[in-house]
Amino acid sequence: MLSRLGIMLLESGMVSQDEIDQIIKEHGPGEIELADQLISMGIVPEDLITEFLSEIYTVKPVYLNEIEVDSRLADSLPEDIARKYLITPVKVDRDYFYIAMGSPGDLYAVDEVKFATGKEVIVYASAPPAVRRAQDELYGKADALVSVKDQIDDYSSELDELEIVGSLEPEEEEDFESDLEEEYAGTVDGPIVGFVNEIIAKAVRTEVSDIHIEPYENFLQIRYRRDGACFVVRKLPKKIQPQILSRFKIMAGMNIAERRKTQDGRIKARIDGRSIDFRVSAVPTVNGEKIVLRILDRGSLEFDLRELGFPEEALKVFMQGVNSPFGIVLVTGPTGSGKTTTLYSALSSLNTDNRNIHTAEEPVEYSIEGLTQTQINFSMGYDFATALRAILRQDPNIIMVGEIRDLETASIAIKAALTGHLVFSTIHTNDAPSTVNRLVDIGIKPFLVASAVRTIMAQRLVKKICKHCKTPLEHSDKEYLAAGIDPGDMKGHTTYTGKGCNSCSGTGYRGRIGLYEVLSIDKTIKQSIIDRVTAGELRTMGVKNGMRTLRMDAVEKLKAGITSLEEVMRVTTEDEPEVLKAAVAKKASIKRQKREGHSA
């Protein structure tokens, strides 16, 4: 029998009966289990689960990530009761004790809280993962959040936070235990294991993208990267550096005896019911190995491009290229600008049973059901060009190649596109129009570029102003002109800044959103490519055809109060004068047409 949450989700159309049946089969019929899995799989957002629970049990919702709980409340409610019934205290006054519950219908739990606190209880609804995170903030890390299986049997009983599933280099596993016994026996002890687990778990819970473990002459530094910026978390004594680094390398399946060469590994873990992948890189430095973990949370992978900040018109043009029967769709942007997410989003819209989709990636960041994904291995001679040739013998409809970086890869991709395949790839250029010249510089003939390429999209990520400390901020005409923005274009729009608060760790920003520039290769632009016009001329033509440049998209998000003028200037460059003139001329033409139509 379905829980009330399951019934409501089915009626809303957000989940299918098959999805619920699969979760029940693997995790049981409980309402908490259903909520946990739907959130971890990215099917239903956490806030929406909170709202559903609120409606079902007729209690108010509370969004625990948006409030600050007094740490003294930990003394008011015993931790064992809170953990047992999935409860976290929210506040207390003279007569009432306020709690957030992951299962608000549990009246027995409410009675337990009444008995423990001696007060009447006010219940709020909150998604189970949010309650667990709040518990950890209030009481500290739970002793047994998940079951664990480590690659080294000696430590399987000590890891109480993470479940290590595998690594990228299984062929070396036989050597790990002997290496440990010979060189590191007894050095990676319980406190080190617990500390490393806490560093990883805290990074996931605070939504950072990378963990940096950096050795210096006199200390070991740990930094997180969030919203594109790094900040220091801890500085540790130099004497425990070997144990810390060894622990990370063991978890990632690396050879801990090798310290002179670069190594890559992977950690798969389950934290708070979520399946998390970590891509791990170790590089030798003069002070020891530096290790960086890239956090790949499949549950947070957003496949709806609108949620990523895509303007409606730009999305329409991009999807026309994505839905082409053949040709090349290119995405360009710096490392960490969200190109992988965009490509997976495009592929997910095409991922049906009647299509054969192959990818060649370096590395494979997310495992997507329905896609045949291959891992590039340069050391073994398996590069993008070799992978492309092999994939073309696998009868593909759609191909994604991680990056076009040389003539051989570009030539094979062009030929594939001209022989009926739809090809997705990335390339490193500053903007969409420059991509054409980049392909020509690599060695591709202009007429082949014009014939094969359907759509080029450039993207960047810009920080969003924190909604909790968002404050209006007026800018002078001089500031707008210095940023290359027409002050008249900002009339009637309120701009904002973030003052800094606990929610954004004092930065004034929380989260990032995409900026997009989509160039559609129509007949006019094809001829211009063949005629070898400059990137500036292509940009002007694109704007006349309706293309919004990266700067234009950034200014629109500035007008909407999403980001700040400082971020617009940091992430984008001023458009060339002819582009601005073309944009202004087009706007004037649209206004004129509207006036003429109104007069008629």
Side-chain angles (χ1 to χ4, degrees):
M1 182 177 177
L2 283 182
S3 64
R4 295 172 68 182
L5 177 62
I7 293 170
M8 180 172 279
L9 288 166
L10 272 179
E11 290 175 349
S12 72
M14 295 198 67
V15 297
S16 67
Q17 184 67 57
D18 288 342
E19 288 171 327
I20 290 181
D21 289 344
Q22 185 64 30
I23 290 172
I24 291 174
K25 180 180 178 181
E26 294 181 4
H27 303 279
E31 190 169 78
I32 293 173
E33 289 78 5
L34 177 63
D36 280 335
Q37 295 309 311
L38 289 174
I39 292 169
S40 68
M41 294 163 67
I43 297 174
V44 182
E46 190 174 272
D47 286 355
L48 200 54
I49 291 291
T50 297
E51 291 171 14
F52 277 131
L53 291 172
S54 169
E55 185 174 343
I56 290 168
Y57 295 104
T58 322
V59 296
K60 291 182 179 180
V62 61
Y63 305 98
L64 294 170
N65 60 322
E66 298 179 2
I67 65 172
E68 186 172 353
V69 177
D70 190 338
S71 60
R72 290 173 294 183
L73 285 175
D75 298 327
S76 302
L77 182 68
E79 182 181 358
D80 59 341
I81 293 177
R83 299 279 187 191
K84 180 178 180 180
Y85 297 111
L86 199 54
I87 294 169
T88 187
V90 175
K91 64 178 180 178
V92 64
D93 57 27
R94 190 177 66 180
D95 300 315
Y96 296 98
F97 195 77
Y98 300 80
I99 60 173
M101 296 183 66
S103 182
D106 191 342
L107 298 180
Y108 184 81
V110 175
D111 288 337
E112 284 280 300
V113 176
K114 284 182 182 179
F115 182 78
T117 61
K119 294 179 180 290
E120 287 297 312
V121 176
I122 303 296
V123 175
Y124 291 97
S126 185
V131 175
R132 293 192 190 94
R133 290 197 302 272
Q135 289 174 340
D136 291 338
E137 288 291 326
L138 195 61
Y139 297 107
K141 180 175 66 67
D143 289 334
L145 291 180
V146 291
S147 60
V148 176
K149 180 181 179 182
D150 191 79
Q151 291 173 332
I152 308 300
D153 289 339
D154 290 344
Y155 301 109
S156 60
S157 62
E158 295 180 76
L159 279 172
D160 56 6
E161 179 78 31
L162 304 176
E163 181 179 358
I164 309 307
V165 180
S167 73
L168 288 181
E169 299 178 318
E171 68 276 9
E172 295 183 4
E173 284 185 356
E174 294 178 359
D175 299 327
F176 294 160
E177 189 167 357
S178 59
D179 288 335
L180 185 68
E181 289 176 352
E182 292 174 10
E183 299 206 13
Y184 286 93
T187 61
V188 187
D189 56 16
I192 293 295
V193 169
F195 176 77
V196 169
N197 292 342
E198 182 63 24
I199 288 294
I200 293 175
K202 184 177 179 181
V204 172
R205 290 167 186 152
T206 53
E207 300 176 353
V208 306
S209 60
D210 302 86
I211 306 171
H212 294 244
I213 299 91
E214 303 167 321
Y216 290 93
E217 185 176 358
N218 298 315
F219 59 89
L220 180 71
Q221 178 172 276
I222 297 176
R223 292 194 296 168
Y224 289 163
R225 182 185 294 277
R226 185 170 61 195
D227 296 338
C230 288
F231 58 95
V232 176
V233 178
R234 295 289 295 271
K235 288 185 178 180
L236 305 169
K238 186 72 173 177
K239 63 182 181 181
I240 66 169
Q241 176 176 308
Q243 294 98 313
I244 296 288
L245 298 181
S246 296
R247 182 61 204 154
F248 277 107
K249 291 174 71 176
I250 290 168
M251 295 169 72
M254 296 178 180
N255 185 347
I256 61 175
E258 179 57 73
R259 307 180 192 90
R260 298 168 298 173
K261 296 180 181 179
T262 62
Q263 293 189 71
D264 293 305
R266 204 175 188 103
I267 299 170
K268 291 188 177 183
R270 183 168 293 277
I271 300 175
D272 295 342
R274 296 154 61 192
S275 181
I276 312 290
D277 287 356
F278 300 84
R279 195 176 75 221
V280 188
S281 171
V283 175
T285 74
V286 293
N287 295 307
E289 292 172 288
K290 174 177 177 177
I291 295 178
V292 175
L293 289 79
R294 167 64 59 88
I295 300 174
L296 306 170
D297 184 357
R298 283 174 284 180
S300 66
L301 189 61
E302 180 60 70
F303 287 131
D304 186 348
L305 290 171
R306 289 180 182 83
E307 295 296 322
L308 299 175
F310 239 111
E312 201 64 42
E313 191 59 36
L315 178 59
K316 180 180 177 182
V317 175
F318 180 65
M319 292 309 295
Q320 286 174 351
V322 169
N323 292 313
S324 299
F326 56 87
I328 297 180
V329 176
L330 292 171
V331 179
T332 181
T335 300
S337 63
K339 298 189 298 296
T340 299
T341 301
T342 298
L343 287 172
Y344 280 139
S345 300
L347 289 176
S348 70
S349 69
L350 303 171
N351 188 9
T352 58
D353 291 340
N354 63 343
R355 291 189 176 101
N356 183 15
I357 305 177
H358 275 256
T359 74
E361 305 170 59
E362 203 288 304
V364 175
E365 294 194 357
Y366 298 97
S367 179
I368 308 296
E369 186 176 346
L371 274 58
T372 302
Q373 298 170 271
T374 60
Q375 169 88 29
I376 298 301
N377 189 334
F378 293 108
S379 64
M380 300 295 291
Y382 189 65
D383 55 16
F384 286 116
T386 304
L388 261 179
R389 279 193 291 266
I391 288 172
L392 287 171
R393 295 192 289 270
Q394 294 284 312
D395 186 32
N397 300 107
I398 300 168
I399 301 168
M400 187 188 91
V401 56
E403 183 183 349
I404 292 178
R405 60 174 70 173
D406 53 49
L407 175 59
E408 186 178 14
T409 306
S411 298
I412 299 171
I414 291 283
K415 290 175 184 176
L418 294 176
T419 54
H421 300 88
L422 182 59
V423 181
F424 294 88
S425 190
T426 69
I427 190 168
H428 285 286
T429 57
N430 291 325
D431 53 31
S434 299
T435 303
V436 172
N437 290 342
R438 172 65 177 149
L439 289 171
V440 173
D441 290 342
I442 285 176
I444 304 298
K445 301 294 183 184
F447 74 90
L448 290 175
V449 175
S451 300
V453 179
R454 290 286 176 269
T455 304
I456 304 171
M457 187 186 73
Q459 68 181 73
R460 300 283 190 280
L461 290 177
V462 66
K463 294 178 185 177
K464 295 193 294 184
I465 299 171
C466 175
K467 61 183 179 181
H468 299 286
C469 59
K470 190 174 181 179
T471 306
L473 176 67
E474 291 187 10
H475 294 285
S476 66
D477 290 355
K478 185 177 180 180
E479 288 177 301
Y480 286 130
L481 290 171
I485 299 172
D486 181 2
D489 203 26
M490 297 300 296
K491 297 294 184 185
H493 297 282
T494 303
T495 54
Y496 296 86
T497 187
K499 293 190 301 183
C501 63
N502 290 334
S503 181
C504 61
S505 302
T507 64
Y509 299 99
R510 177 151 188 170
R512 292 188 289 177
I513 194 169
L515 304 178
Y516 301 95
E517 175 180 287
V518 184
L519 178 65
S520 179
I521 311 299
D522 60 14
K523 291 181 180 179
T524 306
I525 292 182
K526 282 184 179 182
Q527 187 57 52
S528 299
I529 294 172
I530 294 171
D531 295 338
R532 299 196 178 198
V533 303
T534 65
E537 291 173 301
L538 284 176
R539 188 180 297 107
T540 301
M541 294 173 64
V543 171
K544 287 180 179 178
N545 290 342
M547 180 184 81
R548 180 188 287 180
T549 66
L550 289 168
R551 170 55 70 94
M552 291 175 186
D553 193 20
V555 170
E556 289 302 312
K557 289 178 170 64
L558 174 64
K559 290 178 182 178
I562 297 171
T563 192
S564 66
L565 180 62
E566 179 186 25
E567 274 295 286
V568 170
M569 295 174 65
R570 183 185 70 84
V571 175
T572 65
T573 57
E574 183 180 349
D575 292 319
E576 295 181 9
E578 61 265 26
V579 178
L580 293 174
K581 290 177 183 177
V584 171
K586 183 176 180 182
K587 287 182 180 179
S589 174
I590 292 172
K591 289 179 180 178
R592 186 172 60 253
Q593 290 173 9
K594 287 183 177 179
R595 286 197 303 269
E596 291 172 354
H598 182 71
S599 299

